[in-house]
Amino acid sequence: NLYLSLNCYDSLYIYDTSGQHIYVDSILWTNRQMKFSSAGKKLQWVSSLPGRTDFLVTDLDVDIRGNTYLSVNFSYNHKDTAIFRAAGFSPPDTSLLSVGAVFVIDTSGQAKNWYYLRSTVTLSISNITVHDTNSVFIYGTIYGDSIVSGSYKLKMPNKGFYHFYARLDINGNVDW
């Protein structure tokens, strides 16, 4: 199968190789994920992430069950609550600065789950790999003095720029 993630402004038109028009979207800021057949001709589903100008999908992977995992970098505040709900995701209960997040889309293209990591200043995720049905590996960078995810907190020796690797379970709990 072919997976595609697009963040665009204005209209989105997708054609197959024969020139057949297969998808149109005309929302101002749109962030769409799509699954096509392995030949790339049949659109199987379209999903949405919260539509924002600063959403940057950096990587995606698919687990053995067909769930899609996307690493995303963005900034969040309470004004974005309606955007999150419209895309099928629950908003966080706090305002956040720059965060790295993992969004999970199920096999039919529906919002399934999301979780985030943050730092005292900024955190971004560059790569994601799903190893099996319970391990999500991420790589990223932070600027700050800690990494926080839920009840997990890793304190750095000094405020600065760091690279990190982490293993999470499919619910976003940090293993290491």
Side-chain angles (χ1 to χ4, degrees):
N1 292 315
L2 173 67
Y3 294 85
L4 181 64
S5 179
L6 297 170
N7 187 4
C8 62
Y9 182 76
D10 201 13
S11 298
L12 173 64
Y13 298 91
I14 297 182
Y15 299 87
D16 67 14
T17 54
S18 68
Q20 177 70 30
H21 197 221
I22 58 173
Y23 183 74
V24 149
D25 196 345
S26 60
I27 299 173
L28 285 180
W29 276 107
T30 184
N31 199 321
R32 299 288 185 252
Q33 288 62 54
M34 302 172 183
K35 178 182 176 184
F36 292 88
S37 64
S38 57
K41 291 186 177 188
K42 183 173 190 265
L43 179 62
Q44 296 179 338
W45 54 253
V46 176
S47 183
S48 299
L49 287 182
R52 297 187 26 129
T53 59
D54 70 342
F55 256 66
L56 176 63
V57 176
T58 57
D59 200 7
L60 69 82
D61 199 8
V62 180
D63 70 14
I64 60 175
R65 291 188 176 128
N67 297 308
T68 305
Y69 293 73
L70 299 127
S71 59
V72 179
N73 300 316
F74 69 99
S75 297
Y76 175 85
N77 66 51
H78 285 298
K79 292 183 277 185
D80 300 325
T81 298
I83 296 170
F84 269 69
R85 287 196 175 119
F89 293 99
S90 298
D93 59 0
T94 183
S95 286
L96 304 167
L97 296 176
S98 294
V99 298
V102 174
F103 284 84
V104 185
I105 299 169
D106 70 16
T107 58
S108 61
Q110 300 300 308
K112 185 171 182 175
N113 195 8
W114 83 284
Y115 36 89
Y116 61 89
L117 289 87
R118 63 181 172 83
S119 179
T120 49
V121 181
T122 184
L123 183 144
S124 63
I125 299 173
S126 302
N127 300 96
I128 188 166
T129 299
V130 182
H131 177 63
D132 54 30
T133 59
N134 199 36
S135 297
V136 179
F137 295 90
I138 57 174
Y139 162 76
T141 56
I142 72 160
Y143 179 72
D145 63 3
S146 63
I147 297 176
V148 178
S149 178
S151 62
Y152 177 84
K153 184 172 184 174
L154 175 63
K155 182 80 172 144
M156 304 302 181
N158 299 302
K159 184 177 182 180
F161 183 78
Y162 297 92
H163 294 262
F164 73 91
Y165 296 91
R167 184 176 115 187
L168 307 115
D169 67 19
I170 58 170
N171 297 312
N173 300 309
V174 176
D175 290 332
W176 53 260

Short mmCIF file of all heavy atoms in Angstrom, two decimals, residues 68-93:
data_model
loop_
_atom_site.label_atom_id
_atom_site.label_comp_id
_atom_site.label_asym_id
_atom_site.label_seq_id
_atom_site.Cartn_x
_atom_site.Cartn_y
_atom_site.Cartn_z
N THR A 68 -1.72 3.32 11.26
CA THR A 68 -0.71 4.26 10.80
C THR A 68 -0.27 5.16 11.95
O THR A 68 -1.11 5.72 12.66
CB THR A 68 -1.28 5.14 9.66
OG1 THR A 68 -1.78 4.28 8.64
CG2 THR A 68 -0.22 6.05 9.08
N TYR A 69 1.04 5.29 12.14
CA TYR A 69 1.63 6.14 13.18
C TYR A 69 2.37 7.29 12.50
O TYR A 69 3.20 7.06 11.64
CB TYR A 69 2.63 5.34 14.02
CG TYR A 69 1.97 4.26 14.85
CD1 TYR A 69 1.48 3.09 14.27
CD2 TYR A 69 1.83 4.40 16.22
CE1 TYR A 69 0.87 2.11 15.02
CE2 TYR A 69 1.23 3.43 17.00
CZ TYR A 69 0.75 2.28 16.38
OH TYR A 69 0.15 1.31 17.15
N LEU A 70 2.02 8.52 12.90
CA LEU A 70 2.65 9.69 12.31
C LEU A 70 3.38 10.47 13.39
O LEU A 70 2.83 10.72 14.47
CB LEU A 70 1.58 10.61 11.70
CG LEU A 70 0.78 9.97 10.59
CD1 LEU A 70 -0.69 10.12 10.88
CD2 LEU A 70 1.13 10.59 9.28
N SER A 71 4.63 10.85 13.12
CA SER A 71 5.33 11.77 14.03
C SER A 71 5.06 13.18 13.52
O SER A 71 5.17 13.46 12.33
CB SER A 71 6.82 11.46 14.10
OG SER A 71 7.43 11.56 12.83
N VAL A 72 4.67 14.06 14.46
CA VAL A 72 4.22 15.40 14.12
C VAL A 72 4.83 16.39 15.10
O VAL A 72 4.91 16.13 16.30
CB VAL A 72 2.68 15.49 14.21
CG1 VAL A 72 2.19 16.89 13.88
CG2 VAL A 72 2.02 14.47 13.30
N ASN A 73 5.24 17.55 14.58
CA ASN A 73 5.73 18.64 15.42
C ASN A 73 4.78 19.82 15.27
O ASN A 73 4.37 20.15 14.16
CB ASN A 73 7.14 19.05 15.01
CG ASN A 73 8.11 17.90 15.16
OD1 ASN A 73 8.09 17.18 16.14
ND2 ASN A 73 8.93 17.69 14.17
N PHE A 74 4.42 20.45 16.40
CA PHE A 74 3.50 21.59 16.35
C PHE A 74 3.50 22.32 17.69
O PHE A 74 4.10 21.87 18.66
CB PHE A 74 2.08 21.14 16.00
CG PHE A 74 1.40 20.33 17.07
CD1 PHE A 74 0.50 20.91 17.94
CD2 PHE A 74 1.67 18.97 17.19
CE1 PHE A 74 -0.12 20.16 18.92
CE2 PHE A 74 1.05 18.22 18.17
CZ PHE A 74 0.15 18.81 19.03
N SER A 75 2.80 23.44 17.73
CA SER A 75 2.55 24.18 18.97
C SER A 75 1.06 24.14 19.23
O SER A 75 0.26 24.23 18.30
CB SER A 75 3.00 25.64 18.85
OG SER A 75 4.38 25.71 18.64
N TYR A 76 0.66 24.01 20.49
CA TYR A 76 -0.75 23.89 20.84
C TYR A 76 -1.13 24.94 21.87
O TYR A 76 -0.37 25.25 22.77
CB TYR A 76 -1.03 22.50 21.43
CG TYR A 76 -2.45 22.34 21.92
CD1 TYR A 76 -3.45 21.98 21.03
CD2 TYR A 76 -2.79 22.60 23.23
CE1 TYR A 76 -4.76 21.87 21.45
CE2 TYR A 76 -4.11 22.49 23.66
CZ TYR A 76 -5.08 22.12 22.77
OH TYR A 76 -6.37 22.02 23.18
N ASN A 77 -2.33 25.49 21.72
CA ASN A 77 -2.93 26.28 22.80
C ASN A 77 -4.42 25.99 22.82
O ASN A 77 -4.95 25.33 21.93
CB ASN A 77 -2.60 27.78 22.66
CG ASN A 77 -3.21 28.39 21.43
OD1 ASN A 77 -4.40 28.25 21.19
ND2 ASN A 77 -2.40 29.07 20.65
N HIS A 78 -5.12 26.48 23.84
CA HIS A 78 -6.54 26.14 24.02
C HIS A 78 -7.42 26.58 22.86
O HIS A 78 -8.50 26.02 22.68
CB HIS A 78 -7.06 26.72 25.34
CG HIS A 78 -6.59 25.96 26.53
ND1 HIS A 78 -6.90 24.64 26.73
CD2 HIS A 78 -5.81 26.32 27.57
CE1 HIS A 78 -6.36 24.22 27.84
NE2 HIS A 78 -5.69 25.22 28.39
N LYS A 79 -7.01 27.53 22.06
CA LYS A 79 -7.80 27.95 20.90
C LYS A 79 -7.92 26.82 19.88
O LYS A 79 -8.78 26.85 19.01
CB LYS A 79 -7.19 29.18 20.24
CG LYS A 79 -7.28 30.43 21.12
CD LYS A 79 -6.73 31.62 20.38
CE LYS A 79 -5.24 31.63 20.54
NZ LYS A 79 -4.57 32.77 19.97
N ASP A 80 -7.06 25.82 19.96
CA ASP A 80 -7.05 24.71 19.01
C ASP A 80 -7.98 23.57 19.40
O ASP A 80 -8.06 22.57 18.69
CB ASP A 80 -5.63 24.15 18.87
CG ASP A 80 -4.65 25.20 18.39
OD1 ASP A 80 -5.06 26.05 17.58
OD2 ASP A 80 -3.49 25.16 18.83
N THR A 81 -8.70 23.68 20.50
CA THR A 81 -9.54 22.59 20.99
C THR A 81 -10.55 22.13 19.94
O THR A 81 -10.69 20.93 19.68
CB THR A 81 -10.27 23.02 22.28
OG1 THR A 81 -9.27 23.30 23.27
CG2 THR A 81 -11.18 21.93 22.79
N ALA A 82 -11.26 23.05 19.31
CA ALA A 82 -12.26 22.68 18.31
C ALA A 82 -11.63 21.99 17.11
O ALA A 82 -12.21 21.06 16.55
CB ALA A 82 -13.04 23.92 17.86
N ILE A 83 -10.43 22.42 16.73
CA ILE A 83 -9.73 21.81 15.59
C ILE A 83 -9.41 20.35 15.91
O ILE A 83 -9.59 19.47 15.08
CB ILE A 83 -8.45 22.60 15.26
CG1 ILE A 83 -8.80 24.01 14.79
CG2 ILE A 83 -7.62 21.89 14.21
CD1 ILE A 83 -7.61 24.93 14.65
N PHE A 84 -8.94 20.08 17.13
CA PHE A 84 -8.62 18.72 17.53
C PHE A 84 -9.88 17.85 17.53
O PHE A 84 -9.88 16.74 17.02
CB PHE A 84 -7.96 18.70 18.91
CG PHE A 84 -6.47 18.79 18.86
CD1 PHE A 84 -5.85 19.95 18.46
CD2 PHE A 84 -5.69 17.71 19.18
CE1 PHE A 84 -4.48 20.04 18.39
CE2 PHE A 84 -4.31 17.78 19.12
CZ PHE A 84 -3.70 18.95 18.72
N ARG A 85 -10.94 18.35 18.11
CA ARG A 85 -12.19 17.58 18.18
C ARG A 85 -12.76 17.31 16.80
O ARG A 85 -13.27 16.22 16.53
CB ARG A 85 -13.19 18.29 19.06
CG ARG A 85 -12.81 18.19 20.52
CD ARG A 85 -13.97 18.53 21.44
NE ARG A 85 -13.56 18.30 22.81
CZ ARG A 85 -13.50 19.24 23.74
NH1 ARG A 85 -13.86 20.47 23.47
NH2 ARG A 85 -13.10 18.94 24.96
N ALA A 86 -12.69 18.28 15.90
CA ALA A 86 -13.21 18.10 14.54
C ALA A 86 -12.47 16.99 13.80
O ALA A 86 -13.04 16.30 12.95
CB ALA A 86 -13.12 19.41 13.76
N ALA A 87 -11.19 16.79 14.11
CA ALA A 87 -10.40 15.74 13.47
C ALA A 87 -10.55 14.40 14.19
O ALA A 87 -9.95 13.41 13.78
CB ALA A 87 -8.93 16.15 13.42
N GLY A 88 -11.33 14.36 15.28
CA GLY A 88 -11.57 13.10 15.99
C GLY A 88 -10.59 12.82 17.12
O GLY A 88 -10.59 11.72 17.67
N PHE A 89 -9.75 13.79 17.48
CA PHE A 89 -8.76 13.61 18.54
C PHE A 89 -9.15 14.43 19.76
O PHE A 89 -9.63 15.55 19.63
CB PHE A 89 -7.37 14.04 18.07
CG PHE A 89 -6.79 13.17 17.00
CD1 PHE A 89 -6.86 13.55 15.67
CD2 PHE A 89 -6.18 11.97 17.32
CE1 PHE A 89 -6.33 12.75 14.67
CE2 PHE A 89 -5.65 11.16 16.33
CZ PHE A 89 -5.73 11.55 15.00
N SER A 90 -8.93 13.90 20.95
CA SER A 90 -9.18 14.65 22.18
C SER A 90 -8.06 15.65 22.39
O SER A 90 -6.88 15.31 22.24
CB SER A 90 -9.23 13.71 23.39
OG SER A 90 -10.28 12.80 23.24
N PRO A 91 -8.40 16.89 22.76
CA PRO A 91 -7.34 17.88 23.01
C PRO A 91 -6.66 17.63 24.35
O PRO A 91 -7.27 17.02 25.24
CB PRO A 91 -8.10 19.21 23.02
CG PRO A 91 -9.48 18.84 23.42
CD PRO A 91 -9.73 17.46 22.89
N PRO A 92 -5.42 18.08 24.52
CA PRO A 92 -4.77 17.95 25.83
C PRO A 92 -5.43 18.90 26.83
O PRO A 92 -6.15 19.82 26.43
CB PRO A 92 -3.32 18.35 25.56
CG PRO A 92 -3.39 19.22 24.36
CD PRO A 92 -4.55 18.73 23.55
N ASP A 93 -5.19 18.67 28.10
CA ASP A 93 -5.82 19.51 29.12
C ASP A 93 -4.95 20.70 29.51
O ASP A 93 -5.17 21.33 30.53
CB ASP A 93 -6.17 18.67 30.35
CG ASP A 93 -4.96 18.01 30.97
OD1 ASP A 93 -3.84 18.19 30.46
OD2 ASP A 93 -5.13 17.32 31.98
#
